[in-house]
């Protein structure tokens, strides 16, 4: 290839236009369209009309209440697991950590369905063991408290990850110095370790709060039947009853959701501002405390909690899927695989959902693989501030609540494409583009980490030997980052295959995904079919996570969120 095809830093001249197009289409345009629509709606007076609607403020209060209570539950649960599994001599900590991370990877609507099957008078599992409440008793999860509880279960791994990262960075010398001064293990934990772990706890709690604000699956399953609406489910209800002011209303509500998320993050920054948590010493070493005679009791407690938040709900989901109908007692005589036959062999909707989800997830994972390899190379190799801007813009869509991103793409593609005159609204293509935008950061992070661990002299030697860009990528760079790229493919496939929040607004007839299908089955009263579909989704999640775990030793640090 002639030298004119390359820039001065040996990158091909087409690389920057490629990067620019990707960032503009997947980040800049949808966010700009959402912003413009929101401003235009406010100028037309639609904001005043919407702000006068009591339903908006009821949904806002419900959103803040459930998110805050969920934050508290997630902080207690995730913080406790982080401290005990990181600092103490608990046996089986790797298995416990892996299992504790599963709720974060399981779709929220599946979490809600599993807990519905575990509680209430119609619970198949409770009926099978003779512990079901009397018929006519209320379902306790159809409440603000029920939504907040499942927010805590779903988002506790976020607190666990953030706090554990801080605990792993504690200086071992500080702990040893305190012990030599005569401080007890309890005093060291209270006066030294936990104060230094505060940033991780606060950061994790803030992320849990923001995740609760944007969560759609749990409030949709638990809240809508009880007429308890949060802002994401209010957007869904307004979109379902489409009218002349729908676009302006959902753009304003999306702006409110984004504002609440930013407030949550700013509170985190304010709490930590002015407090110096820096530690001096060798980090990355775990300051291990011994539980001595209390170890067995703590291990029983940890495994018991894991059983309650993971195993029992899954068993309830499994029992519901094997019963002939929701609420029918499960016995050897009544157990049947009818629900699995329906969702796999007879129901055209679920068959379409399987095909759509697997196709979309695979297309998203492979498409982002190509984008991430080139985008990651540009971010790491470009010596300019522009690379930082590109990296930040790539992460913004993932940081936004999924419902907000879906609204942005609806507004962007509601009209036919300019020049082409073709509309992708209501097709599978709009879901694919929204997935590419939402999960770009997930795919990019491990690839960028792998690029940064490579010795620059490897590529430089290939360049001096006369290898052009494609040859250097094919023979040098790609083989070196292959493990990280492979993990990003599996991770994106895992998340995209079970996604609900984005596709809940973007789907139409024939483009249902697994998340949409499970929600619609439950909404139509076919709980046993929804349970069977959810069991299959959980098994898919476990298989993919175990595949990533087997690859863990070949991956760069930080590629897998649940590993050190």
């Amino acid at each position: 290839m002639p030298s004119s095809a390359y820039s001065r830093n040996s990158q091909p001249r087409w690389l920057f236009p490629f990067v620019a197009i990707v960032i503009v289409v997947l980040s800049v345009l949808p966010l700009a369209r959402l912003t413009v629509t929101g401003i235009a709606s406010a100028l037309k007076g639609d904001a005043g009309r919407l702000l006068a609607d009591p339903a908006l403020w009821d949904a806002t209060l419900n959103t803040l209440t459930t998110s805050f209570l969920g934050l508290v539950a997630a902080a207690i649960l995730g913080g406790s697991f982080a401290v005990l599994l990181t600092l103490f001599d608990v046996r089986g900590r790797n298995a416990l950590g892996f299992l504790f991370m599963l709720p974060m990877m399981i779709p929220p609507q599946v979490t809600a369905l599993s807990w519905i099957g575990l509680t209430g008078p119609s619970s198949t599992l409770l009926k099978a063991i003779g512990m079901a409440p009397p018929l006519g008793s209320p379902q306790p999860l159809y409440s603000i408290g029920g939504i907040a509880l499942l927010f805590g279960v779903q988002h506790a791994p976020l607190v666990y990850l953030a706090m554990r990262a801080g605990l792993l960075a504690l200086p071992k010398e500080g702990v040893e110095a305190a012990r030599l001064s005569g401080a007890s293990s309890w005093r060291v934990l209270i006066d030294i370790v936990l104060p230094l772990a505060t940033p991780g706890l606060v950061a994790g709690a803030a992320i849990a709060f923001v995740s609760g604000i944007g969560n759609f699956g749990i409030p949709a399953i638990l809240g809508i039947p009880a007429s308890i609406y949060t802002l994401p489910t209010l957007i869904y209800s307004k979109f379902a009853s489409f009218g002349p002011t729908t676009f302006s209303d959902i753009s304003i509500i999306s702006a409110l959701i984004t504002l609440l998320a930013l407030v949550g993050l700013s509170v985190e920054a304010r709490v930590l501002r002015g407090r110096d948590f820096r530690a001096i010493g060798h980090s990355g070493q775990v300051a291990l405390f011994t539980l001595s005679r209390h170890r067995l009791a703590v291990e029983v407690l940890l495994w018991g909690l894991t059983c309650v938040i993971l195993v029992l709900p899954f068993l309830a989901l499994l029992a519901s899927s094997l019963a002939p109908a929701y609420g029918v007692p499960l016995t050897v005589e009544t157990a049947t695989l009818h629900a699995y036959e329906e969702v796999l062999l007879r129901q055209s909707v679920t068959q379409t959902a399987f095909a759509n989800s697997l196709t979309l997830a695979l297309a998203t994972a492979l498409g982002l693989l190509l984008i991430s390899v080139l985008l990651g190379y540009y971010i790491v190799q470009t010596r300019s501030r522009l690379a930082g801007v590109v990296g930040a813009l790539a992460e913004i869509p993932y940081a936004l609540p999924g419902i907000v991103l879906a609204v942005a793409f609806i507004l962007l593609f509601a009209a036919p494409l300019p020049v082409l005159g073709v509309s992708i609204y209501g097709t599978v293509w709009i879901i694919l583009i929204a997935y590419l935008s939402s999960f770009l950061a997930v795919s990019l992070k491990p690839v960028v980490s792998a690029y940064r661990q490579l010795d620059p002299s490897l590529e430089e030697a290939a360049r001096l030997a006369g290898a052009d860009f494609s040859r250097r990528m094919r023979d040098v760079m790609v083989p070196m980052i292959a493990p990280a790229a492979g993990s990003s493919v599996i991770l994106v496939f895992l998340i995209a295959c079970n996604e609900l929040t984005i596709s809940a607004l973007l789907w139409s007839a024939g483009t249902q995904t697994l998340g949409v299908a499970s929600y619609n089955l439950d909404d139509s009263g076919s709980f046993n079919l929804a349970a069977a579909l959810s069991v299959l989704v959980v098994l898919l999640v476990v298989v993919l996570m175990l595949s990533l775990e087997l690859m863990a030793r070949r991956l760069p640090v930080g590629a897998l969120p649940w590993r050190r």
Side-chain angles (χ1 to χ4, degrees), residues 73-97:
I76 294 172
L77 187 59
S80 300
F81 265 75
V83 170
L84 290 171
L85 295 185
T86 307
L87 300 180
F88 290 88
D89 57 338
V90 175
R91 291 167 292 192
R93 69 180 67 192
N94 290 335
L96 279 168

Side-chain angles (χ1 to χ4, degrees), residues 455-472:
D455 187 345
S457 62
L458 295 173
E459 187 189 13
E460 183 64 17
R463 190 179 69 83
L464 292 175
D468 61 11
F469 177 76
S470 61
R471 185 70 179 270
R472 296 198 306 271

Side-chain angles (χ1 to χ4, degrees), residues 333-509:
E333 290 78 18
T334 61
T336 175
L337 295 176
H338 170 74
Y340 293 94
E341 294 174 358
E342 282 290 318
V343 299
L344 290 174
L345 303 176
R346 299 195 185 100
Q347 291 272 341
S348 60
V349 172
T350 53
Q351 292 174 349
T352 300
F354 268 108
N356 287 339
S357 284
L358 294 176
T359 302
L360 281 168
L362 185 60
T364 303
L366 295 180
L368 287 179
L369 173 64
L370 174 62
I371 292 172
S372 298
V373 167
L374 296 174
L375 190 58
Y377 177 88
Y378 177 84
I379 291 173
V380 174
Q381 298 298 329
T382 300
R383 308 285 197 273
S384 72
R385 294 180 181 178
L386 191 59
V389 174
V390 168
L393 288 174
E395 292 187 6
I396 288 176
Y398 182 69
L400 289 174
I403 202 83
V404 174
L405 193 64
V407 169
F409 277 96
I410 289 173
L411 296 173
L412 183 62
F413 293 115
L417 296 175
V419 182
L420 298 178
V422 177
S423 176
I424 65 170
Y425 180 69
T427 70
V428 74
W429 296 106
I430 190 173
I431 301 178
L432 176 60
I433 295 176
Y435 280 8
L436 292 173
S437 174
S438 181
F439 306 132
L440 174 58
V442 178
S443 175
L444 189 61
K445 183 179 178 180
V447 173
V448 168
S449 297
Y451 272 126
R452 285 179 174 154
Q453 293 181 24
L454 295 183
D455 187 345
S457 62
L458 295 173
E459 187 189 13
E460 183 64 17
R463 190 179 69 83
L464 292 175
D468 61 11
F469 177 76
S470 61
R471 185 70 179 270
R472 296 198 306 271
M473 292 297 292
R474 184 176 67 249
D475 293 347
V476 179
M477 308 298 283
V478 171
M480 298 291 287
I481 66 167
S487 75
S488 75
V489 169
I490 298 177
L491 199 57
V492 170
F493 184 89
L494 169 63
I495 299 173
C497 196
N498 301 310
E499 197 281 329
L500 169 65
T501 305
I502 294 173
S503 53
L505 290 188
L506 299 181
W507 76 279
S508 60

